[in-house]
Amino acid sequence: MPLIKNRYGKGRVRVMRIHRDGDRHEVSQLSIKAMLEGDFARAYTDGDNSTSVSTDTIKNVVNVVARQNTGLSVEEFCQVLAKKYLDTYPQVTSVAVTSHETRWSRLSFGGKPHPHSFVLDNNGKPTVEATATRAGSSTLISGIDGFTFMKSTQSGWENYVSDRYTTIPPTADRMCATSMVASWKWSAELQNYPATNAKILDTLLEVFATTYSKSVQDSLYRMGEAALAAVPEISEISMACPNMHFIPMNLSAFGMDNDNDVFLPTDEPHGQIECTVGRG
């Protein structure tokens, strides 16, 4: 029976590129699918892999091209990537590169765009929980679920317990990202809850973005302190933050360095950091 059509490749190659222009960073988080067509029929019909390129190699090419082209638009990047496969492998006759982008919006404070801090587009779901009893007691809690933000530098993880099970190296410069679930308990009634909720979020983000983070724990506590100071009408604030990891790609096998330019975005497994800050 004839083999009518075939193609193969690598899907969901997740890559984060950071392009630096002085202190200003541009970020581009992509999920790439690269599919090749060409002289590969014998792998299907004859068990002959002699012309086949490993799908792991196809993935590696994505990361190499990402390192070489941190500043290209997504359209330009996909075109350069497709050409790289054609230039490298003569048995390839056509390439289809598909990209899905996770969009990040730059944060601004006081009308000034921040150089390296971002929030996820279409971000977060506001939440409210109200309780009341026949005896007359009541509570009102507002919050947000899945509010995602990150900074591409000014975060570290050092001086932690190190033993024979420890493999992660210390660093004074890493990406820091989280998808936060936060809630705050009201201790007074307000005329404008939406505006005050926005003030709380703005306060949390400004502390996160504009101060060095020794850990997610360090940032969360200081964010909570600042929110309580900014809004006297809340009695406590709770935050639960999965530490979304961006793992620097090791490109040494290809004779390339990686000075925090290309990362593998991962969300499983993740660190889970939680705290509640109150007025005491």
Side-chain angles (χ1 to χ4, degrees):
M1 294 182 182
L3 178 67
I4 297 174
K5 188 175 182 179
N6 74 87
R7 70 174 188 163
Y8 78 105
K10 199 76 165 181
R12 297 195 67 185
V13 181
R14 303 171 69 184
V15 61
M16 168 69 89
R17 297 179 297 157
I18 298 179
H19 180 69
R20 292 172 174 80
D21 183 9
D23 291 335
R24 182 182 173 91
H25 293 185
E26 302 287 347
V27 299
S28 175
Q29 182 176 339
L30 308 175
S31 178
I32 298 289
K33 181 171 74 171
M35 300 297 291
L36 312 183
E37 292 188 45
D39 181 18
F40 305 123
R42 70 192 76 173
Y44 293 84
T45 59
D46 300 322
D48 180 355
N49 299 327
S50 60
T51 62
S52 296
V53 181
S54 297
T55 63
D56 187 68
T57 300
I58 295 172
K59 175 261 296 178
N60 289 341
V61 173
V62 174
N63 292 320
V64 168
V65 174
R67 175 64 182 89
Q68 294 170 331
N69 299 276
T70 58
L72 291 184
S73 69
V74 180
E75 289 79 4
E76 293 168 324
F77 175 74
C78 289
Q79 290 177 306
V80 169
L81 180 58
K83 187 174 185 299
K84 180 71 170 180
Y85 291 117
L86 291 172
D87 290 346
T88 305
Y89 304 108
Q91 68 272 40
V92 175
T93 57
S94 70
V95 181
V97 174
T98 306
S99 170
H100 290 85
E101 183 174 10
T102 298
R103 298 297 300 273
W104 295 89
S105 298
R106 189 177 302 278
L107 283 166
S108 293
F109 301 104
K112 183 179 179 181
H114 195 270
H116 60 252
S117 297
F118 307 83
V119 293
L120 190 70
D121 278 7
N122 302 315
N123 199 13
K125 297 179 180 179
T127 63
V128 174
E129 179 183 341
T131 63
T133 69
R134 193 169 297 280
S137 64
S138 64
T139 61
L140 182 64
I141 298 172
S142 299
I144 195 160
D145 190 351
F147 190 71
T148 304
F149 49 94
M150 75 164 180
K151 55 184 177 182
S152 52
T153 187
Q154 291 296 300
S155 176
W157 178 241
E158 299 179 282
N159 302 317
Y160 47 85
V161 173
S162 181
D163 59 22
R164 64 193 184 97
Y165 303 110
T166 305
T167 59
I168 187 172
T171 179
D173 186 11
R174 64 172 182 170
M175 294 186 70
C176 185
T178 188
S179 180
M180 180 177 70
V181 179
S183 62
W184 40 93
K185 182 181 293 185
W186 300 103
S187 56
E189 292 188 5
L190 297 178
Q191 293 295 317
N192 192 331
Y193 285 100
T196 309
N197 286 333
K199 182 178 182 179
I200 291 170
L201 278 179
D202 288 345
T203 301
L204 296 175
L205 288 173
E206 185 165 4
V207 172
F208 173 81
T210 61
T211 62
Y212 180 79
S213 173
K214 295 181 179 179
S215 64
V216 177
Q217 292 91 326
D218 169 52
S219 286
L220 287 190
Y221 178 73
R222 291 185 292 106
M223 291 160 64
E225 278 190 313
L228 289 167
V231 180
E233 296 86 358
I234 60 174
S235 59
E236 64 180 46
I237 181 169
S238 298
M239 292 164 285
C241 291
N243 190 357
M244 300 163 60
H245 297 295
F246 290 83
I247 301 171
M249 298 300 302
N250 184 355
L251 302 176
S252 61
F254 316 109
M256 305 175 70
D257 66 358
N258 183 12
D259 187 20
N260 284 348
D261 295 307
V262 180
F263 297 82
L264 172 65
T266 64
D267 52 17
E268 295 178 346
H270 59 245
Q272 181 74 20
I273 316 299
E274 302 181 2
C275 74
T276 298
V277 185
R279 296 193 181 276

